[in-house]
Amino acid sequence: MKIIKSPVLIVLIVATLSMSWFTYKIIVANQKAMECGEQVRRSDEKMRLLHAIYQHHTTLNASMNGFVAALDTVPARHTSAAGLHDHFSQLRELSASSLQEARADSLQTLMHERLQLDHSIRQAAVTSPEKAIAAMQDTGRVQLLQSIADVHRRLLDGERLLMDRHIANNRFFANKVYNLSLAGSIIALLFVTIGILRFAFEYARAKSAENKLRNSEIKYRRLIEDAEVIMYTTNLAGYFTYISPKVESITGHTNTELQGKHYRLFLDDTTQQELATHYETQVRNQLSSTTKEFRIRRKDGRQIWVEQHATLMWERDQLTGFQCIVKDIDEKKRIQDELRQSQQEQNRIQLLLQSILDNTTTIVFIKDLDGRYLLINKQFEEKYHVTADALIGRNNNELPPPFDVLRDTATDLDVLRMEAPVKLEHNIVYAGKKYYYTTTKFPLRDHEDRVFGVCGISTDISHRIEHEQQLIAAKRSAEAAKRAQETFMANMSHEIRTPMNGIIGMTNLLHQTPLQAQQKEFLDAIKDSANNLLVIINDILDFSKIKSGKMAIEQTNFDIRYVVRKTLYPFVHKAHEKGLELACRVDEAVPSHLLGDPVRLRQVLDNLLSNAIKFTEKGSISLSAGLRTIDDTQATICFEVRDTGIGIPQETIGEVFDSFTQSHAGTDRKYGGTGLGLAICKQLVELQQGHITLESTVSKGTSIRFDIPYTRNLFSAPEQEDVHELPVVSLKGRELLVVEDNIINQKVAIYTLQKAGAKVDVVSNGAEAVDNVKEKEYDCILMDIQMPGMDGYKATALIREMGYTTPIIAMTASAINGEREKCVRAGMTDYISKPFIPEELYRKIQESIIRTARSLQSKAAILEHAEPMTLIDTHYLQALGENNRDFLIDVVEMFRQRSDYLLHEMLDFARKEDWPAVARGSRQLRAELNTIRIVPMIALLLQIEENATNREHTKTIIEDIQEVIKLYEEADDILREEIALRN
């Protein structure tokens, strides 16, 4: 067992030194007390002698007074001068080397004078008693007696004072001896206690380290006690002469088998040679006993460790052989090997950890509870440009820059107060350069779970911060590039669509004039080329919008059968021209009323049907819609467009949905196109949470399927129109104003509108339009957006500010995302893109005129009945509740609860400048407004969403949200009244 001596020895040395010091102090104090006691005794003796001397003095006075009073001639008895001399000798000896010695000499002198004077008086009394009496009363004698009394008193007072002082000193030193003895005893007891506790702690720790080995020793000691050993004897040649029966339990051989055999039976050659040498040495040196550990081979071939104690056997002073005791120590050896390996592993881990600590790129440090550094690693030294020797033992207040004393102290206190880790990011500035770190500080605990310090691990994140700053700069640059791209796309759209509008418009007008066959052929070629170019332009713009994330998916009520029919109708004539059969089927199980984006659905179907007709020369094309899955809230619809066209090679099927990719080399030359159609379809389907797949065989045809999940609308049906034949719209008698700066487009608009019977005025900019509206009442205004001077937005705003309700249709060549919403916010009634289809333009004009008239009638009716329903489109609300009052109440209540939550959540996100969350909340709220139509809120929400998405005008977003909340609160009062009326 490891001898524990250093801590105990230290305690014993300290205790011995302490006790030696206390003993020395006690001896010194005791000597001082004894000296004081001796002085008290001497003072007491001197006072006794002074009393004796004074007694001599008073006795002599009485004797002399008696002698004089008797007047006889016989001398009075007096004190012996010899005795008085002895007293003074003793007094002088006791008062030697002190102030009292002079006073004692003075008293002795006075007493000697007095004795001489009394002797002369006694002699005079023999002859003349009268003279003796006179001498007795002489002034000199009286003064002498008084001096003796005074000196005696001073001597006595001085001795009393000295005695009091010596007594006080004696008491002081006696108390000191007592106090020192008591303190020494307590400190000795304390050191002994500390020594015992330290010894117990060290002993316990040492015992813990040896428990495993000791348990093994105990185990094998018990085995030995149970006689689990082999005892055998051999002759000098090494042949067994006796073997105990236990040999079988260790070796596997019975004692009968081994009788007369040589011990080499159990050994390999190396071990046998080693043991032979060992025994020869024992015999040669006549060692009575030896102990040897070695490995033996059991009967089953397994090698085990044994320990052998060999004793020389003598008979009549002749060496006859060996007596040996062998025990199995294989388990002990295994444990020792494991312990050794464990210790080696611990040492290796410790070295590994130290290596990691020294070579890690992170900063590691440890502090005690007072903030003093206990450990720092090499990285700490390098980053803070300090050495461990200069830092260890110092606390935060003693540290120079770049250490942040206040921050470090505060975070250390937070860790100790909460007893939990604390994370922070900070920076230091050294040599003019800023370094960023993320630091985690956590408490260190001992074996009793008590916090004894703080450990910190800091990681240099300067590269990450720099990378983030670069990313932010890159993001801003990308956003700027994105905005520039959008601006470019808008300008490109305007610049290309403006002449395209003239080309297609003039082509349509020319088509309506008498033409020769060849002229008609040329004109059709021009029209087809223009339409193909328009398709390419639309594909590029749609692709750009999708890639920039500007493509929004709406949630509106629609009839899927109506959308399919309306999509298919324009392709009937094209299929007929190519001699193709065009079929359509919608499964009866498909719900008619769904919530989704019918515009994007039509765009996907348009692309797929257009491709099918383009790449099919004979055979058929079919469009089908079936029900994939359905539940209470959602229905997944599977659409399929199948053709018998040229097909797609298997090796290119995986590429057809990639941008600018076509299935056949040369396809773009023969059939045209940009290779964006299917890529746009795929992305539009995925934007609607759907999935698209394709199957194809060359020369046999292609089948494209896609699934889109839609929300079920169980209570209302969308308005529909007949798609089998576009209605013939007459604008006869209508007064129209066209605001257009391009002369060709002016002519196209004039001829197109006049053909429908309208009366047309044309102006070139917004300012002229405002002036015309002031002078003349129009049924509808067709407003271009981009014009020199005053553009269409400003002109529309001024017209609305002047109070005119004339329907205004935006007629623009810009197809950039958000253009329609901008037009609506500016006060326009509708929107049509250039180049336009005449019939569509006629229809939009007619619808706008009718819708505005109805709106004015509705407003007049509202004012007449004083119903405050100006904010909400009541027609849709009333249609919802026409057949189901309870449903209407539930929808309104659900809208009120959800809208209030979304609005205040948007406000919180805006205050935190979480603009993506603001944009997401705006989209969610607009989806809610598809049911409860609060028109001003929709316009504002569109503006908020656009600003939040583009990070533009962010300072006004909070104000806009607050304005939406005000509108909602006004609408909420109206909804309450509506519910009250329903009840």
Side-chain angles (χ1 to χ4, degrees):
M1 184 182 90
K2 181 181 176 181
I3 299 175
I4 304 171
K5 56 183 180 180
S6 297
V8 177
L9 183 60
I10 292 171
V11 172
L12 289 176
I13 291 172
V14 173
T16 302
L17 291 175
S18 300
M19 291 305 298
S20 298
W21 184 84
F22 277 107
T23 303
Y24 168 74
K25 289 295 184 179
I26 290 170
I27 291 172
V28 172
N30 192 46
Q31 288 176 349
K32 293 287 186 180
M34 291 175 66
E35 289 175 2
C36 290
E38 179 62 23
Q39 292 295 334
V40 170
R41 187 191 63 76
R42 290 167 67 91
S43 293
D44 183 66
E45 181 64 20
K46 285 190 284 184
M47 290 176 66
R48 186 187 63 77
L49 291 172
L50 286 173
H51 281 298
I53 292 168
Y54 193 74
Q55 186 67 34
H56 280 50
H57 173 65
T58 54
T59 302
L60 187 59
N61 278 344
S63 175
M64 289 299 293
N65 288 334
F67 172 73
V68 172
L71 295 178
D72 80 32
T73 58
V74 182
R77 185 173 57 88
H78 59 85
T79 305
S80 170
L84 189 60
H85 179 72
D86 292 338
H87 289 328
F88 273 110
S89 296
Q90 294 178 21
L91 182 61
R92 282 174 58 82
E93 182 181 351
L94 293 171
S95 301
S97 302
S98 68
L99 295 175
Q100 294 290 78
E101 183 179 5
R103 291 175 181 170
D105 290 343
S106 177
L107 181 61
Q108 184 177 8
T109 301
L110 291 174
M111 286 296 293
H112 181 69
E113 290 178 2
R114 189 261 172 84
L115 288 175
Q116 288 180 346
L117 182 59
D118 286 349
H119 179 71
S120 63
I121 291 173
R122 283 195 297 272
Q123 286 180 348
V126 175
T127 60
S128 177
E130 290 82 2
K131 288 183 180 180
I133 293 173
M136 286 284 291
Q137 296 174 351
D138 184 65
T139 304
R141 183 178 184 276
V142 172
Q143 289 177 351
L144 178 60
L145 295 176
Q146 183 62 42
S147 295
I148 291 171
D150 289 341
V151 172
H152 178 272
R153 185 179 67 255
R154 285 196 295 273
L155 274 169
L156 195 59
D157 290 342
E159 288 303 326
R160 286 197 184 104
L161 182 60
L162 288 173
M163 177 175 280
D164 290 341
R165 187 180 300 164
H166 293 322
I167 290 172
N169 287 339
N170 180 271
R171 185 179 298 111
F172 168 75
F173 286 113
N175 288 336
K176 188 173 182 180
V177 170
Y178 173 77
N179 291 332
L180 287 172
S181 299
L182 181 60
S185 300
I186 293 173
I187 291 174
L189 180 61
L190 180 61
F191 276 115
V192 170
T193 303
I194 292 172
I196 291 172
L197 292 176
R198 184 64 181 178
F199 177 81
F201 175 75
E202 293 292 337
Y203 181 79
R205 188 171 63 179
K207 288 289 288 184
S208 175
E210 298 175 3
N211 275 342
K212 193 169 184 180
L213 184 58
R214 176 167 293 184
N215 289 337
S216 175
E217 291 174 352
I218 292 172
K219 176 180 178 181
Y220 285 96
R221 188 178 298 114
R222 288 175 179 172
L223 290 175
I224 293 173
E225 290 172 354
D226 293 337
E228 292 297 327
V229 296
I230 303 172
M231 188 179 72
Y232 69 89
T233 59
T234 67
N235 57 24
L236 290 176
Y239 291 93
F240 295 114
T241 57
Y242 169 79
I243 301 178
S244 66
K246 287 291 184 179
V247 69
E248 186 174 3
S249 63
I250 295 178
T251 67
H253 294 277
T254 65
N255 56 347
T256 305
E257 293 173 351
L258 297 175
Q259 194 69 32
K261 299 293 180 64
H262 197 276
Y263 67 83
R264 74 169 65 93
L265 173 68
F266 300 104
L267 309 175
D268 57 33
D269 294 341
T270 302
T271 306
Q272 192 272 331
Q273 184 62 38
E274 182 181 345
L275 283 180
T277 303
H278 173 76
Y279 293 143
E280 289 172 0
T281 302
Q282 183 178 2
V283 172
R284 184 172 58 252
N285 297 329
Q286 294 190 0
L287 301 175
S288 61
S289 64
T290 59
T291 301
K292 180 74 172 175
E293 293 181 355
F294 54 91
R295 300 182 72 179
I296 67 170
R297 182 174 54 249
R298 285 172 46 89
K299 186 177 182 179
D300 56 11
R302 185 164 60 90
Q303 297 276 341
I304 64 171
W305 279 93
V306 295
E307 179 184 272
Q308 177 175 276
H309 183 76
T311 304
L312 297 178
M313 293 193 304
W314 297 85
E315 185 176 347
R316 298 177 182 179
D317 297 330
Q318 291 293 323
L319 182 61
T320 59
F322 296 88
Q323 177 179 306
C324 301
I325 296 177
V326 178
K327 63 180 178 180
D328 185 351
I329 61 167
D330 195 61
E331 182 69 13
K332 176 183 174 182
K333 278 288 187 180
R334 186 184 62 79
I335 292 175
Q336 287 177 342
D337 288 342
E338 289 179 357
L339 287 174
R340 184 172 59 257
Q341 292 173 4
S342 176
Q343 185 62 42
Q344 291 173 351
E345 181 66 16
Q346 289 178 4
N347 294 337
R348 188 186 69 81
I349 292 173
Q350 184 175 355
L351 291 174
L352 180 63
L353 290 176
Q354 187 63 43
S355 176
I356 291 172
L357 191 64
D358 289 339
N359 295 284
T360 181
T361 58
T362 59
I363 293 173
V364 181
F365 59 88
I366 296 176
K367 299 180 183 179
D368 64 13
L369 296 179
D370 297 324
R372 288 188 293 269
Y373 283 88
L374 302 178
L375 177 145
I376 61 174
N377 67 342
K378 288 183 179 180
Q379 193 70 12
F380 190 106
E381 298 180 26
E382 293 175 3
K383 293 296 183 181
Y384 282 90
H385 303 278
V386 296
T387 63
D389 294 337
L391 192 63
I392 298 301
R394 300 176 67 184
N395 59 27
N396 291 330
N397 296 325
E398 303 174 33
L399 302 180
F403 293 93
D404 190 331
V405 174
L406 296 178
R407 184 198 63 227
D408 289 347
T409 302
T411 53
D412 290 349
L413 292 176
D414 287 342
V415 172
L416 296 175
R417 185 181 69 255
M418 298 184 296
E419 295 190 1
V422 172
K423 293 185 178 180
L424 70 152
E425 289 190 5
H426 59 97
N427 61 74
I428 62 173
V429 178
Y430 184 80
K433 185 176 180 181
K434 185 178 287 188
Y435 299 89
Y436 295 88
Y437 291 92
T438 176
T439 297
T440 300
K441 293 185 177 181
F442 53 90
L444 296 175
R445 300 178 182 275
D446 59 17
H447 63 284
E448 294 181 357
D449 202 35
R450 293 178 302 187
V451 175
F452 68 87
V454 175
C455 181
I457 299 177
S458 300
T459 303
D460 188 344
I461 58 171
S462 301
H463 294 300
R464 192 195 80 186
I465 296 297
E466 291 175 3
H467 183 62
E468 288 177 354
Q469 292 172 348
Q470 292 171 359
L471 287 177
I472 292 171
K475 181 174 180 292
R476 290 173 179 169
S477 176
E479 289 174 348
K482 186 177 177 182
R483 287 192 294 272
Q485 178 187 2
E486 291 175 0
T487 303
F488 169 77
M489 295 301 294
N491 293 334
M492 186 189 74
S493 172
H494 182 271
E495 295 302 324
I496 295 177
R497 284 174 177 271
T498 297
M500 286 298 299
N501 183 59
I503 294 171
I504 294 177
M506 287 299 182
T507 302
N508 289 333
L509 292 173
L510 189 59
H511 229 294
Q512 296 169 12
T513 63
L515 296 171
Q516 297 177 4
Q518 190 177 26
Q519 292 174 329
K520 186 176 183 301
E521 182 180 353
F522 293 162
L523 193 61
D524 288 341
I526 294 172
K527 184 176 180 181
D528 289 342
S529 298
N531 287 332
N532 289 337
L533 181 59
L534 187 61
V535 169
I536 292 172
I537 294 170
N538 289 336
D539 282 349
I540 293 174
L541 291 175
D542 284 342
F543 183 73
S544 175
K545 285 188 285 186
I546 292 172
K547 284 297 183 183
S548 64
K550 296 287 187 178
M551 182 71 76
I553 300 300
E554 301 293 338
Q555 292 292 316
T556 58
N557 185 24
F558 73 97
D559 184 339
I560 197 167
R561 290 175 172 80
Y562 166 72
V563 172
V564 170
R565 291 196 303 273
K566 189 173 181 180
T567 304
L568 193 67
Y569 183 75
F571 295 98
V572 172
H573 179 67
K574 293 181 180 180
H576 180 70
E577 285 182 342
K578 295 187 71 172
L580 301 175
E581 180 183 347
L582 183 61
C584 175
R585 183 182 67 83
V586 179
D587 194 337
E588 293 181 358
V590 174
S592 294
H593 307 151
L594 299 171
L595 289 176
D597 194 332
V599 174
R600 301 306 168 197
L601 174 60
R602 283 194 61 185
Q603 188 173 353
V604 174
L605 294 175
D606 276 341
N607 263 313
L608 297 181
L609 288 170
S610 177
N611 278 349
I613 291 176
K614 181 195 301 185
F615 295 112
T616 303
E617 299 299 333
K618 60 181 180 179
S620 64
I621 297 169
S622 65
L623 167 63
S624 62
L627 183 65
R628 176 76 69 188
T629 61
I630 190 170
D631 56 29
D632 293 339
T633 60
Q634 193 176 73
T636 300
I637 311 302
C638 175
F639 300 89
E640 180 182 17
V641 175
R642 182 183 294 273
D643 64 56
T644 59
I646 62 175
I648 301 172
Q650 290 296 317
E651 60 271 17
T652 61
I653 284 180
E655 302 174 0
V656 294
F657 290 113
D658 295 339
S659 306
F660 307 104
T661 300
Q662 301 227 356
S663 59
H664 294 271
T667 296
D668 54 338
R669 294 191 295 272
K670 180 177 180 181
Y671 295 99
T674 61
L676 287 175
L678 289 180
I680 293 172
C681 289
K682 179 176 183 294
Q683 294 181 40
L684 286 176
V685 169
E686 290 175 351
L687 280 174
Q688 298 175 83
Q689 311 303 316
H691 178 67
I692 188 168
T693 58
L694 180 147
E695 295 178 0
S696 183
T697 303
V698 175
S699 300
K700 291 186 177 180
T702 301
S703 171
I704 299 179
R705 298 185 185 89
F706 64 93
D707 299 341
I708 297 180
Y710 292 107
T711 302
R712 297 184 65 187
N713 185 357
L714 305 176
F715 300 100
S716 62
E719 295 181 0
Q720 302 177 14
E721 62 183 47
D722 187 7
V723 299
H724 297 293
E725 190 70 40
L726 287 174
V728 178
V729 178
S730 174
L731 300 178
K732 187 175 182 178
R734 297 294 187 185
E735 295 283 349
L736 306 180
L737 175 63
V738 175
V739 187
E740 170 65 64
D741 63 320
N742 185 277
I743 296 176
I744 295 177
N745 287 338
Q746 286 180 355
K747 293 179 179 180
V748 170
I750 291 171
Y751 293 144
T752 300
L753 295 173
Q754 285 179 345
K755 187 175 181 299
K759 298 178 181 180
V760 185
D761 291 339
V762 178
V763 294
S764 299
N765 57 56
E768 295 177 1
V770 173
D771 293 338
N772 275 40
V773 170
K774 292 178 182 177
E775 297 173 358
K776 184 177 180 179
E777 183 176 350
Y778 292 99
D779 294 307
C780 186
I781 301 172
L782 301 178
M783 182 76 71
D784 190 16
I785 299 299
Q786 297 184 15
M787 294 180 291
M790 184 183 293
D791 63 20
Y793 295 127
K794 293 180 181 178
T796 301
L798 284 175
I799 292 171
R800 295 305 184 214
E801 286 176 5
M802 291 186 297
Y804 293 103
T805 59
T806 307
I808 301 175
I809 298 175
M811 189 168 61
T812 177
S814 177
I816 200 68
N817 187 52
E819 195 69 36
R820 180 186 298 274
E821 289 77 9
K822 286 183 182 179
C823 294
V824 172
R825 285 200 299 273
M828 298 181 185
T829 311
D830 208 336
Y831 170 100
I832 190 168
S833 177
K834 299 176 187 176
F836 54 79
I837 299 172
E839 289 79 5
E840 184 181 4
L841 177 62
Y842 300 155
R843 181 171 56 81
K844 282 186 177 287
I845 293 172
Q846 191 77 310
E847 287 177 353
S848 297
I849 293 172
I850 294 172
R851 187 161 56 247
T852 301
R854 287 177 179 174
S855 175
L856 292 173
Q857 292 172 1
S858 175
K859 184 180 292 185
I862 290 171
L863 292 173
E864 181 180 351
H865 294 90
E867 294 180 359
M869 293 290 288
T870 56
L871 287 177
I872 304 175
D873 183 354
T874 58
H875 297 90
Y876 187 70
L877 191 64
Q878 290 168 358
L880 280 175
E882 214 171 72
N883 300 321
N884 195 326
R885 180 181 62 83
D886 293 336
F887 168 74
L888 173 62
I889 294 172
D890 290 342
V891 168
V892 171
E893 285 294 340
M894 187 180 299
F895 167 78
R896 289 175 58 208
Q897 294 174 6
R898 182 160 174 77
S899 298
D900 184 72
Y901 169 76
L902 288 173
L903 281 169
H904 288 88
E905 186 180 50
M906 284 173 61
L907 190 59
D908 290 339
F909 285 138
R911 287 169 176 162
K912 296 175 183 176
E913 298 187 358
D914 188 350
W915 306 124
V918 172
R920 184 170 59 252
S922 178
R923 285 193 295 271
Q924 292 174 347
L925 190 55
R926 282 198 298 110
E928 299 290 334
L929 291 171
N930 286 327
T931 304
I932 308 296
R933 297 178 180 174
I934 306 173
V935 179
M937 281 181 64
I938 296 174
L940 263 176
L941 287 170
L942 283 168
Q943 180 177 332
I944 291 169
E945 181 182 346
E946 182 176 353
N947 289 339
T949 301
N950 297 328
R951 307 290 199 279
E952 296 176 345
H953 310 298
T954 54
K955 294 182 179 179
T956 64
I957 289 179
I958 293 179
E959 297 176 2
D960 291 341
I961 295 175
Q962 291 171 339
E963 183 64 28
V964 172
I965 292 175
K966 290 180 182 178
L967 289 171
Y968 166 74
E969 290 173 349
E970 294 178 19
D972 187 56
D973 294 337
I974 298 172
L975 291 173
R976 290 176 184 272
E977 294 177 8
E978 183 68 19
I979 292 174
L981 291 173
R982 298 286 175 178
N983 290 332

